Amino acid sequence: MKLKNLIIFTLFTSIAFANPVILEVKQKTISVNGKSVKVSTIEQPDGTWGYWGKLGESFDVIVKNKLAESTMIHWHGLILPNNQDGVAGVTNPEINPGKEFHFNFPLQQSGSYWMHSHDGMQLQDMIAAPLIIETPEDAKYQQVVVMFQDYSSKSANQVLKGLQANNSDAMGHMNHDMHGMKMDGMDMGDMDDMQDINDVKYDAYLTNYHDNLKPQITQVKPGASVKLRFINSASASNFWINLGKLKGTLVAVDGSPVKPITGSKFQLAMGQRSDIIVDIPKVAGDFPILGQVEGIKSQTGLILTSKSKSSVTKIANNANSAAPALNYNEELQLHSSEPIAFGKVDHTYKIKLTGDMNKYTWQMNGETWPNITPPKVNYGDTVTFEFDNQTMMSHPMHLHGYNFKVVSINGKKIDGALRDTILVMPHSKVTVEFKAEHKGKWMLHCHTLYHMHAGMMTYINVE
Ligand SMILES: [Cu+2]
């Protein structure tokens, strides 16, 4: 075959005959604290968890619902057409049991993303998976996904009822026992320093569906460079990444490259991702990679081993001491590695985050989902969101379909990271900026499942 014909033939076959990737949403049996339990997952027919693609490819995916209930899958962090965003009841109808939906759009980004149910409170059932888009440079690394999860033997509805009844599901208050919320007429005094964390008590914290009795053990080569792709898919838990003996270099957050920072502890709020490169020592050893829940001792993780057989086979459920709450120290150090300028700001939206812990309702600008008046955003405008968190809990705020740049924290201007999810600390303000260049209804919500479901959710209408 002549070269020209070969090229045409190759192009033709790769375009015309590339098969869509099948992703099945289905139940999965796992072991938690010695018991077999049923959770859910998103897998390809060959057992591959989630999706691995390459920059420039088409995201050509058929989602098959093998659950007994309807579902819809959202592609967290991807820039995509609005009618592919996978939000049940807003951008897409649910996929009924036994039915499927075909997604198809070009991949414009590379990096670590994830997918999860955006239908009711199904995230608590762990309907989630990695969505990784590789670059040619990734061939230098062994890549390991580290997805943190929180497991409750209760259904999400039971957990929410417990929160609404203000019963013993609430725990882990760092500095005081009361459910402190900023309420009208209440003198806050010096309570600004206090906060509530972890409103849900979990039975176990998992990594890639593994508990601490049988953690995932991954073989690595002595001297190898490993890219750890951390994903926090938990429903109501923020984590500290703990690399133990290893030093790591953080190279990307939420899929977007940052100026590298090194360390052995990093922060990871719900919905966020961090890519961290570790160099495995030349001397063979075992290297637990942990995630510790903020405010408490609980931890989870996996084990990298460069021995022929790991001598570490379990992870302790508790660290020696409770981890502090997440804070802004890391966010203030993060800078996008690419210069980003969105131009003059055309419009500023103030977004007040409030809540009533006694009724367990949460609001954005006084509104509780689904009773919202979505802000209109002019297509093409450069806009900022000024999050003003007036509550005593932190809120990981996620905007669909966009990367925003973090430009200010508590009034301090920063040349921050590009993100899709930003943790707004209690009684603090964060400003993010983006160019409204994708039309449609884009969800804006807290990624704490129970805050979102109890009202802290809206969408913006870009037109
Ligand atoms: Cu929240």
Side-chain angles (χ1 to χ4, degrees):
M1 206 182 296
K2 281 184 187 162
L3 181 62
K4 193 178 134 201
N5 289 343
L6 179 68
I7 290 168
I8 289 169
F9 177 77
T10 309
L11 273 175
F12 179 75
T13 50
S14 63
I15 290 166
F17 301 117
N19 289 324
V21 171
I22 308 293
L23 287 176
E24 298 173 338
V25 187
K26 60 183 185 186
Q27 283 204 320
K28 179 183 178 79
T29 302
I30 60 167
S31 174
V32 175
N33 302 335
K35 270 193 200 154
S36 267
V37 299
K38 281 204 163 71
V39 294
S40 298
T41 192
I42 309 169
E43 281 180 2
Q44 298 181 27
D46 69 359
T48 303
W49 185 31
Y51 176 95
W52 289 73
K54 293 203 162 57
L55 180 62
E57 285 179 355
S58 277
F59 186 81
D60 185 6
V61 166
I62 295 174
V63 174
K64 295 190 173 182
N65 181 6
K66 299 203 155 185
L67 299 174
E69 58 188 317
S70 300
T71 191
M72 192 66 212
I73 305 301
H74 164 60
W75 319 106
H76 185 124
L78 290 196
I79 291 168
L80 37 58
N82 194 239
N83 64 4
Q84 308 276 307
D85 197 38
V87 179
V90 178
T91 65
N92 297 85
E94 292 179 303
I95 308 172
N96 288 326
K99 301 288 187 222
E100 61 186 47
F101 187 79
H102 195 161
F103 294 86
N104 199 343
F105 54 88
L107 289 171
Q108 302 182 33
Q109 300 146 284
S110 57
S112 301
Y113 300 87
W114 64 298
M115 60 184 78
H116 60 83
S117 168
H118 215 297
D119 195 345
M121 291 192 286
Q122 289 178 340
L123 178 61
Q124 187 68 82
D125 301 333
M126 302 186 181
I127 304 181
L131 196 174
I132 309 297
I133 310 162
E134 293 176 282
T135 60
E137 199 217 2
D138 286 328
K140 289 199 300 209
Y141 306 109
Q142 180 177 351
Q143 301 176 64
V144 179
V145 165
V146 189
M147 189 188 268
F148 297 137
Q149 303 156 311
D150 45 18
Y151 171 79
S152 175
S153 57
K154 294 180 183 169
S155 72
N157 272 318
Q158 287 171 320
V159 172
L160 182 63
K161 279 209 181 99
L163 289 165
Q164 286 164 336
N166 204 2
N167 74 5
S168 59
D169 270 328
M171 53 83 75
H173 307 285
M174 288 199 78
N175 298 318
H176 61 119
D177 291 317
M178 66 177 285
H179 288 290
M181 298 291 299
K182 187 158 185 170
M183 283 173 278
D184 285 343
M186 185 174 165
D187 179 14
M188 295 302 290
D190 58 1
M191 284 174 65
D192 276 12
D193 290 342
M194 300 181 180
Q195 62 175 292
D196 280 339
I197 46 177
N198 298 331
D199 38 12
V200 183
K201 179 172 170 46
Y202 283 97
D203 297 298
Y205 299 92
L206 310 179
T207 300
N208 301 351
Y209 292 105
H210 289 260
D211 71 355
N212 288 336
L213 292 173
K214 277 190 185 167
Q216 176 179 319
I217 297 173
T218 298
Q219 284 286 335
V220 291
K221 289 206 174 81
S225 277
V226 176
K227 185 183 255 192
L228 299 167
R229 296 181 180 273
F230 290 92
I231 304 169
N232 185 349
S233 76
S235 293
S237 311
N238 289 320
F239 286 87
W240 286 90
I241 294 165
N242 180 357
L243 305 176
K245 291 177 277 184
L246 298 176
K247 273 246 172 329
T249 305
L250 176 67
V251 294
V253 296
D254 293 358
S256 296
V258 291
K259 290 182 180 159
I261 57 173
T262 56
S264 57
K265 288 193 177 162
F266 296 90
Q267 307 188 22
L268 195 67
M270 282 164 263
Q272 293 182 335
R273 289 86 62 212
S274 286
D275 294 352
I276 298 175
I277 291 165
V278 292
D279 291 320
I280 305 301
K282 296 221 164 66
V283 178
D286 300 315
F287 308 98
I289 302 295
L290 304 175
Q292 185 177 352
V293 182
E294 67 168 343
I296 56 177
K297 290 182 175 177
S298 299
Q299 61 185 7
T300 172
L302 55 70
I303 295 158
L304 302 179
T305 184
S306 55
K307 295 179 178 171
S308 56
K309 195 167 186 287
S310 172
S311 38
V312 180
T313 56
K314 285 178 191 167
I315 289 169
N317 282 333
N318 288 321
N320 290 335
S321 56
L326 299 198
N327 56 48
Y328 282 131
N329 294 349
E330 184 177 318
E331 200 64 48
L332 285 163
Q333 291 178 56
L334 292 178
H335 308 287
S336 171
S337 64
E338 291 146 18
I340 311 282
F342 294 112
K344 189 177 79 55
V345 175
D346 298 298
H347 201 102
T348 294
Y349 295 84
K350 290 186 190 301
I351 299 168
K352 203 167 69 175
L353 309 176
T354 53
D356 179 337
M357 193 58 118
N358 291 323
K359 292 188 195 131
Y360 206 80
T361 62
W362 300 90
Q363 300 90 33
M364 297 172 69
N365 286 338
E367 294 182 332
T368 300
W369 177 268
N371 304 311
I372 54 140
T373 43
K376 278 217 167 61
V377 175
N378 290 328
Y379 176 68
D381 272 6
T382 294
V383 302
T384 61
F385 287 164
E386 289 181 8
F387 294 109
D388 176 5
N389 183 357
Q390 302 189 351
T391 78
M392 294 184 72
M393 295 201 81
S394 62
H395 302 288
M397 300 306 297
H398 171 45
L399 174 64
H400 288 212
Y402 283 92
N403 288 323
F404 51 68
K405 183 178 156 133
V406 183
V407 295
S408 156
I409 293 177
N410 279 333
K412 185 180 193 295
K413 283 208 163 69
I414 58 166
D415 183 24
L418 271 184
R419 281 198 174 281
D420 51 59
T421 309
I422 177 74
L423 187 65
V424 185
M425 300 299 166
H427 295 289
S428 79
K429 291 180 182 171
V430 174
T431 305
V432 301
E433 190 174 307
F434 63 97
K435 198 165 179 64
E437 53 196 1
H438 316 294
K439 289 185 181 175
K441 294 174 178 174
W442 300 105
M443 303 306 291
L444 173 65
H445 63 88
C446 174
H447 223 282
T448 308
L449 183 65
Y450 300 96
H451 296 183
M452 165 186 173
H453 205 75
M456 198 176 272
M457 176 155 68
T458 188
Y459 60 79
I460 60 167
N461 209 345
V462 180
E463 52 182 38

